[in-house]
Amino acid sequence: MSVGRIMVVGVGPGHADLLTPHAANALRQAAVVVGYSGYFPWIEELIVGKESIALPLGQERERALIAIEHAANGRSVALISSGDPGIYAMASVTLEMLGTMEPKRRPEIVIVPGVSALNAAAALLGAPLGHDFAAISLSDLLTPWPVIEKRLSAAAGADFVLALFNPKSVRRDWQLARAREILLGKRAGATPVGVVRNAYRPEQSVCVTTLEQLDVAAVDMFAVVIVGNSTTRFQDGLLLTPRGYDIAPPGETP
Amino acid sequence: MSVGRIMVVGVGPGHADLLTPHAANALRQAAVVVGYSGYFPWIEELIVGKESIALPLGQERERALIAIEHAANGRSVALISSGDPGIYAMASVTLEMLGTMEPKRRPEIVIVPGVSALNAAAALLGAPLGHDFAAISLSDLLTPWPVIEKRLSAAAGADFVLALFNPKSVRRDWQLARAREILLGKRAGATPVGVVRNAYRPEQSVCVTTLEQLDVAAVDMFAVVIVGNSTTRFQDGLLLTPRGYDIAPPGETP
């Protein structure tokens, strides 16, 4: 039996207009499409008539396993991942699971990059990531909390812009408040913060606030929280982290 | 005179298939297209017949200024940015320059997110960013080197995966070697490293090595260098940073 192929496809943050032609082609080529049911609304038109397997949220291993089993049976499988598969998404778990199989049975794997929630949230906030940044997941389901604290503290101390993923969930309700406390120990209360929920989806919300004013209770699992560095400022309701250029007003020679 | 509009458009890493429909629509709607000449090859078909202004590399301020001037004169301008405009690209400098203008003369600004060099390099390497990561530019043209060293050291000490941008240029030839030295002080020589040049462009190259073996001389300005964390490993010629799931082989119940 010939071995198939898994394409781990980044379908962008949540709108068909942010899904690349590369991803669309991968979905069209696939015989089977596997993914979290919540990601199907903006890809539906591309997968009409295909075998599609929609699974609940949180079952990353199960989704990867189903995709691998179909591919090991010789089929071409698209495993869909919201945003970019490489950033807190399906690339890692799928590759890791493939590594447990006998090499000769392993399907070929292709990662199709996408516009991540990070890119999307930043675009909606202006230019918060204008300089070096660190991405940290606040989920301690898979990572011990002390490791997360150490990273928060190190990144805040070295003046990185911070992008906080998985800030909260129904079961994880205290981590964001604790993270805010750690960051307030290293960064001013007036530091600009952006909270983007459901970027480019119908339920999108964008909130601009400060580290001091951040309403932790209003943040949920659909949010990405971006915390500025010491140079980040507000401009016209957006967040701006300067790159460090010497900027002269238009019309004046720099 | 009515004030125009600037769309800072992420055109992806270097292939039309990684340019989103959102970006393509923005280019089609624009009356004027401004950008570095090297980004035009994969957008040419979208801008046939438009006024297009191609400028040399490195003139970010000049590009932003030209775009702003056209927009202030009432035109709809696409300022193209490779990758994602928010990550070491045109969003920040454009917003900053707008901030120097009288508010009533400021054109509207829209940031169109894209697939960044980060997403692209990671996809070609497998799953190197499978966990928390830090993005650091090694260019000390705009940032004092001690700040960069502090960030390298902090991120390495807290076991972030590192994505190093602008690792070298003709004028900046020692920074990557120094960064490697700093990282070797905190991380094993066998740490997996991926070097991706010109992702998804005709000249693409992908090299997988270790921190110890990294050939600094072979890296240039077109490369993104990804350095694994303490858990990153090689698998089938790719880089894998596990997320922390408990992984059972397919066929065994986790």
Side-chain angles (χ1 to χ4, degrees), chain B residues 60-75:
Chain B
E60 289 83 8
R61 283 176 299 184
E62 289 75 5
R63 280 183 254 151
L65 187 57
I66 289 169
I68 287 173
E69 283 172 349
H70 280 280
N73 287 332
R75 306 190 73 185

Side-chain angles (χ1 to χ4, degrees), chain A:
Chain A
M1 189 167 59
S2 75
V3 160
R5 181 183 205 213
I6 294 188
M7 298 171 285
V8 188
V9 181
V11 296
H15 191 292
D17 278 355
L18 287 174
L19 181 138
T20 67
H22 188 15
N25 291 338
L27 293 175
R28 284 192 205 98
Q29 282 163 20
V32 184
V33 178
V34 180
Y36 162 49
S37 55
Y39 305 151
F40 280 78
W42 67 93
I43 64 164
E44 267 168 0
E45 287 183 18
L46 296 165
I47 59 170
V48 172
K50 289 186 193 291
E51 181 175 353
S52 69
I53 303 170
L55 286 121
L57 193 66
Q59 300 194 7
E60 289 84 8
R61 283 175 298 184
E62 290 75 3
R63 280 183 255 148
L65 187 58
I66 289 169
I68 287 172
E69 283 172 348
H70 281 279
N73 287 331
R75 305 190 72 186
S76 175
V77 182
L79 175 57
I80 65 179
S81 190
S82 80
D84 177 80
I87 299 185
Y88 302 116
M90 296 300 298
S92 172
V93 63
T94 307
L95 207 56
E96 193 172 7
M97 208 168 261
L98 282 180
T100 66
M101 298 173 75
E102 273 180 86
K104 66 177 184 192
R105 286 199 63 234
R106 284 181 205 168
E108 181 195 358
I109 182 167
V110 177
I111 312 291
V112 178
V115 173
S116 71
L118 180 70
N119 305 119
L124 294 169
L125 290 168
L129 305 177
H131 213 297
D132 302 330
F133 64 92
I136 302 178
S137 168
L138 298 188
S139 172
D140 58 351
L141 298 178
L142 302 174
T143 306
W145 182 254
V147 172
I148 299 172
E149 278 213 4
K150 186 176 178 185
R151 288 180 180 160
L152 286 166
S153 196
D159 207 23
F160 282 96
V161 175
L162 290 161
L164 307 179
F165 285 76
N166 307 309
K168 262 173 94 175
S169 74
V170 176
R171 285 183 295 173
R172 293 182 303 99
D173 61 355
W174 56 266
Q175 288 83 348
L176 180 60
R178 176 69 189 129
R180 175 176 165 278
E181 198 174 279
I182 293 167
L183 299 182
L184 276 171
K186 310 245 180 189
R187 212 160 277 187
T191 301
V193 170
V195 181
V196 178
R197 289 181 70 244
N198 289 306
Y200 297 96
R201 298 185 195 183
E203 317 79 15
Q204 171 183 303
S205 79
V206 178
C207 167
V208 165
T209 181
T210 64
L211 198 50
E212 184 68 56
Q213 299 290 323
L214 173 65
D215 181 5
V216 168
V219 174
D220 66 15
M221 63 182 293
F222 299 105
V224 173
V225 178
I226 297 185
V227 179
N229 71 12
S230 64
T231 70
T232 306
R233 58 184 195 249
F234 296 110
Q235 182 177 299
D236 297 341
L238 298 172
L239 264 60
L240 166 60
T241 303
R243 183 73 192 279
Y245 292 102
D246 187 14
I247 300 288
E252 295 174 26
T253 309

Side-chain angles (χ1 to χ4, degrees), chain B residues 20 32 52 54 59 70 81 87 90 190 200 215 220 226:
Chain B
T20 68
V32 185
S52 70
Q59 302 194 6
H70 280 280
S81 191
I87 299 186
M90 295 301 298
Y200 297 97
D215 180 5
D220 66 15
I226 298 185

Side-chain angles (χ1 to χ4, degrees), chain B residues 91-181:
Chain B
S92 172
V93 62
T94 308
L95 207 56
E96 194 173 7
M97 209 169 259
L98 282 179
T100 66
M101 298 172 77
E102 275 179 83
K104 67 176 183 192
R105 288 197 64 234
R106 282 182 206 168
E108 181 195 356
I109 183 168
V110 177
I111 313 292
V112 178
V115 174
S116 72
L118 182 70
N119 306 121
L124 294 170
L125 289 168
L129 306 177
H131 212 298
D132 303 330
F133 65 92
I136 302 179
S137 168
L138 298 189
S139 171
D140 57 352
L141 298 178
L142 301 173
T143 306
W145 182 254
V147 173
I148 299 171
E149 277 212 4
K150 186 176 179 184
R151 288 180 181 159
L152 285 166
S153 194
D159 207 22
F160 283 96
V161 175
L162 289 161
L164 305 179
F165 286 76
N166 306 309
K168 262 174 95 177
S169 75
V170 177
R171 285 183 294 173
R172 295 183 302 98
D173 60 357
W174 55 266
Q175 288 81 352
L176 180 60
R178 176 68 188 131
R180 174 175 166 277
E181 198 175 279

